[in-house]
Structure formats: C-alpha cells, structure tokens
Amino acid sequence: MALQASPFPNGFVAGVHAVGWAFILPCFWFLDRLIAVCKSTTLERTQRLEQECYLHPLKVFFGSIVFFILFVATAPLAFLGFLLWAPLQACRRPFYYHREPPSSPENETHRGFELVGKASFGFATANLCLLPDSLARFNNLGHTQHRASAIGQRIVQGVCRPHIRIFVDSPSSCGTLSPSSSFLPTVNSVTYGATDRQNSNQQGRSGHRSAPRALLSQGLRQQDDVPWEVSSLFPSNIDILCLEEVFDKRAAQKLTDALKPVYGHILYDIGVYACQPPCGCSSFKFFNSGLFLASRFPVLEAQYHCFPNSRGEDALAAKGLLSAKVLIGQNQKRQRVVGYFNCTHLHAPEGEGVVRCEQLNMVTKWIGDFQAANRRPDEDVVFDVLCGDFNFDNCSPDDNLEQNHCLFEEYRDPCRAGPGKEKPWVIGTLLEQPTLYDDDVNTPENLQRTLESDELRKQYISPPVPAVGIPMVYPETGQPWIGRRIDYILFRENSISKHCRTEIEEVTFITQLAGLTDHIPVGLRLNVTMDSADE
C-alpha cells in the first residue's frame, strides 16, 4: 500500500489540527523569542564588541518585557488551541510523506543490477540541532530557520556535483584526486535520475579498484582496507540521507523545500506528540523524534517506534527508530530489488549507558520485526543500513557498556577495530560547542584542514569521557588522538540476499556544514555485486 502524504486519516481532522496549531503558534513563538533575546551565541557576543556597549542591555530589557506581555496575552488562545490539538494526536500517523512526481518512472530507479549486475549506493547522516531558536542557543547555535535553509542549500550543492575520481598510475603519482579538492568548480545545477546515476555507476563502479597507497593530503586515503577521506563537500550522488534533531516544524519544511528537487521521497515531522500509551510513550511529548529521511528511491514501507524508556529532558522528545523499505529497481531476472534503511537517535545524557543499551535492544528487535513483516520471497535485498546519532562513542571508558553491545556483532561499523578501540584513521564527530565559530573551524575548508591535523583536532573535537571515579590517560602510548565519534553508519550483510556481495567504497567525514551544526556529518558508499544464477 502506498504511503499517505498526510499523517491524518482525512481532511477534516487535518483541518482541525491546523486550526489548533495556529492558535498555539503565536504563544509558542513569543516564548521562544523571550528566551532567545536573553541567550546569545559566542558569535553574537563577538559581533557586539563592535557596537555601543549599552545597546545589548537595552535590547534584552525591552525585548523581554515586550515578548513576555505578548506571551501572556496569547496564552488563553494557545490553551484553546491545545484543547483542539492534543486529542487529535491519538489518530495521527507518525510522519508526513512528501513525494515529488518524477519526470519519468525510470528516474526513481537504479538500473545497475539489471544491466551489469552491480551498483553503488551512497548514504549520509548528520545531526543538525534544528531545535526552536531559544533552545538551540544553549548549544551555541542560533537562527534556526536561517540555518535550515543554508543547510539544505549546502547539501544540494554537494550531492548534485558530478561523481569524479581520477586514478593516476605513473611512478610519480600521488594517487587519487578527490572531488572535494579545490580545483573543482562549483556546480549550481545538474540533471538527476537513473541516467546520471547509471553513468557514474557503470563508469566508476565497474572499473573500480582500490586506491593507491600514496595519496594526496586532501583526497581519498586507504587504511585497513577502508578508503576514507575528510571532504569539504557532501559526497556526490548520496542516495539516502538521514538527519537528526530536526525538531522545529518550520525548519523541517524549509529542508523539505530545499531537498525535494533532488530527493523525491521525504519523511519528516517523524514521531508522536502528547500522551500516546498505544505507542509506548510513557510521558508527554512536546517534540517529535527529530528524525528526517530523504531518499532518491521510492519508499515502499515505513514504520516508526518510540522509545518508552527515555528519562529527564530526553523524555520531552519522541526519540525512536524509523525503518524504511525502498525500491531500488529490478535485477536481470526482472525481479524486484529493494533495500532496508533504518535511522535512530539514542538517549543523550552521559553516564546512562543502561538506558542506551535497552534502546539498542529495542532497535535490534524492531528492525528484525519490520523486515520479517515486509520481506517477500520474490525480491532481492541489496543493503541493510542503520545510522544515526547513538550518543556514545567507541573510545570513552564511560561508554564501555554500549561498546560491547551485541548490535555490533550483527552490523558492521567500518570505523571500529573492536570494542573500545577505533581504527587509527578515524576522526571524532562531536565538536566542542564553545569554539564553533573559531577561525580554524568556521568554514568547510578550514574545518577540513583542522581535522586533518592531529594537533589542531584536539582543540575542537570533544575528548573521550572517563569512567566515574577512574582517572583516564588518553591516548595510550603510541596511539592516535581520535575524539568522540557518536554519529554512525553501519551495514549488515547476513540479512541481504545470499548472492549479493558488499564492498566498502568510501567512508567520508564531511565539513560542509561548518558553522551550522555542532556535529560532523558522516558518509558511506557501498558497492554491491549480484552474482548471476550460473555463478
């Protein structure tokens, strides 16, 4: 059954919901501005050094009075809106679905398996901190609506450029030139669809080989059989994009508007609100899950689950798991080819690994249940990916419980050497919030150079968290300094079709959102080869 665009069963319910939210919004906005006018980011404090010293206190004083009066004045209307809005959440499906009509059906499918028996797929995940402006400022990030528009534009700029990789085999070669290198021109427009993807897959994938070992400082590198790079641009031709902390509804709409020319299938405003025991949420939810899924491929099925064990401030949001089944195309036998994609955002507070382990148990079960319910014997599954913000890393002693979870026996983490040990080339993904606007990290190019420098990286990436009461020496002698990597893209091979083989083409740490979020996005590209029936 095709996914419905609206989360409501009919237009009347959707209309009443819209009226209720329209009554709530003015009061909510005035409260948001009341807090935001009193909370500045470090960038705003730096900019104020050039202003008269009395201007900001006046702005805070009068702004607070005005927004407080308006908040109180609109509170009765908001209460009336709440009485309309809250009961309707019981019949709300947990996401909106936007489908952009393609110019032709072939533009939504991948013909690689049908033509040559192989294909390449790109995935990316990023935590955007698109909270209401007042709350985002506590993470040293403001102007949520502006950031949402800028993030959407930057993502489109990165993913729409041609997929180019140049191999040089001469003895004097430095190896592979990355498409993120500065000699590439900026691409403002490009056509999309199966033709472009197929050209890149036939030319780039069928002749794909491992990169030479001596490589450019700002290009593709290879260690432990995993090619990787730090890129100032999003990888080209990302097929599925998972975003976290897109809590603000207007920001989600701005992202949808920016991404829909590239990604024809978008799930947003994912989660539940208010009290919904049928969904297993034990407390009142003021915010959705923050998850946002954008796919080039049609979404056949989607299912959301809310974590029932959230605590503290995390319990105010409907964090959970989104599982989706997407249609890739068909194989040489004309059978349907599909993929599974799962995204999540786990419990945040440090020192609460037991909660996160319980959530990982739920994630494992829910994914298994979803795939069992939606798998068909006459189709080939070519990828099974799990990604998101896990809120624990693989180097902090405080996260030892999560590092040893059995999920990592099912799903493969390309960056992980073992429990509590990262591969030496890995870069942390959590930036230190007070220094987000320093010159070394405030542009994509500067952040790229900083991440490639072992010494500079220590100043801007969050360090590992020690276990309570136990002193920590980090890094150990002879080991590199890595920092906290809490954003993951994992893939599983034992759940895909038996005649499919998966190879990691590239892992990417992406700096294109420098200054717009406190996380470093991560990309993964997989090559999948489908053996013929004769083989």
Side-chain angles (χ1 to χ4, degrees), residues 457-523:
R457 191 164 67 235
K458 297 177 184 179
Q459 302 175 35
Y460 299 103
I461 299 292
S462 295
V465 180
V468 177
I470 302 177
M472 182 180 68
V473 177
Y474 184 84
E476 297 179 359
T477 305
Q479 298 298 314
W481 195 96
I482 292 173
R484 300 198 70 197
R485 178 180 64 94
I486 66 174
D487 301 274
Y488 292 73
I489 303 185
L490 317 177
F491 66 97
R492 181 163 60 174
E493 296 177 276
N494 61 12
S495 59
I496 66 175
S497 297
K498 294 181 179 179
H499 53 278
C500 290
R501 292 179 288 108
T502 304
E503 176 190 24
I504 300 173
E505 181 179 329
E506 182 180 355
V507 173
T508 311
F509 298 95
I510 304 160
T511 65
Q512 194 170 5
L513 302 186
L516 298 175
T517 181
D518 56 350
H519 286 242
I520 296 169
V522 181

Side-chain angles (χ1 to χ4, degrees), residues 517-532:
T517 181
D518 56 350
H519 286 242
I520 296 169
V522 181
L524 173 67
R525 180 163 286 276
L526 297 176
N527 286 328
V528 181
T529 303
M530 189 178 293
D531 295 334
S532 66

Side-chain angles (χ1 to χ4, degrees), residues 47-272:
Q47 293 170 342
R48 284 202 301 269
L49 296 176
E50 302 175 0
Q51 301 175 353
E52 297 292 340
C53 62
Y54 60 84
L55 292 180
H56 180 65
L58 289 176
K59 176 184 175 183
V60 172
F61 178 74
F62 288 107
S64 300
I65 293 175
V66 170
F67 287 126
F68 179 75
I69 292 173
L70 292 173
F71 166 69
V72 173
T74 55
L77 186 64
F79 179 72
L80 177 61
F82 178 82
L83 295 179
L84 292 174
W85 173 86
L88 296 179
Q89 305 311 309
C91 62
R92 179 187 181 274
R93 286 188 291 268
F95 50 76
Y96 281 87
Y97 174 50
H98 175 85
R99 181 178 185 272
E100 194 73 8
S103 55
S104 71
E106 285 140 359
N107 287 349
E108 292 191 316
T109 58
H110 196 314
R111 300 191 64 200
F113 294 112
E114 182 181 358
L115 297 177
V116 295
K118 62 177 64 175
S120 175
F121 301 100
F123 312 95
T125 183
N127 184 313
L128 303 184
C129 195
L130 291 177
L131 289 152
D133 190 48
S134 58
L135 300 181
R137 289 171 177 272
F138 288 92
N139 289 350
N140 201 22
L141 292 162
H143 309 287
T144 294
Q145 306 308 316
H146 170 75
R147 286 193 298 118
S149 298
I151 287 169
Q153 293 169 5
R154 290 195 190 183
I155 292 175
V156 170
Q157 179 191 30
V159 302
C160 289
R161 60 197 171 87
H163 185 77
I164 300 173
R165 197 165 298 288
I166 304 170
F167 293 92
V168 183
D169 286 335
S170 67
S172 60
S173 136
C174 287
T176 305
L177 302 185
S178 166
S180 64
S181 298
S182 59
F183 70 85
L184 270 180
T186 300
V187 179
N188 294 321
S189 63
V190 68
T191 55
Y192 317 116
T195 302
D196 291 322
R197 291 199 299 272
Q198 185 55 35
N199 287 342
S200 68
N201 276 284
Q202 286 185 10
Q203 296 171 13
R205 312 294 178 263
S206 60
H208 175 77
R209 49 184 168 165
S210 298
R213 294 204 176 262
L215 300 173
L216 286 179
S217 62
Q218 292 188 359
L220 190 69
R221 317 167 192 195
Q222 181 162 336
Q223 287 178 256
D224 301 316
D225 297 324
V226 177
W228 66 279
E229 72 169 323
V230 180
S231 172
S232 62
L233 294 172
F234 270 81
S236 64
N237 289 337
I238 289 177
D239 295 299
I240 305 180
L241 180 66
C242 171
L243 306 175
E244 300 88 48
E245 290 199 10
V246 186
F247 290 114
D248 188 274
K249 293 184 178 182
R250 290 186 297 151
Q253 190 60 59
K254 289 180 184 293
L255 273 178
T256 300
D257 293 340
L259 297 177
K260 66 185 181 183
V262 183
Y263 297 99
H265 304 270
I266 297 176
L267 300 179
Y268 66 99
D269 197 6
I270 300 168
V272 294

Side-chain angles (χ1 to χ4, degrees), residues 364 402-413 416 419 490-494:
T364 304
E402 303 96 300
Q403 293 161 4
N404 288 275
H405 195 273
C406 61
L407 174 82
F408 295 102
E409 298 174 7
E410 289 284 324
Y411 282 88
R412 179 181 173 188
D413 181 357
R416 172 184 167 107
L490 317 177
F491 66 97
R492 181 163 60 174
E493 296 177 276
N494 61 12

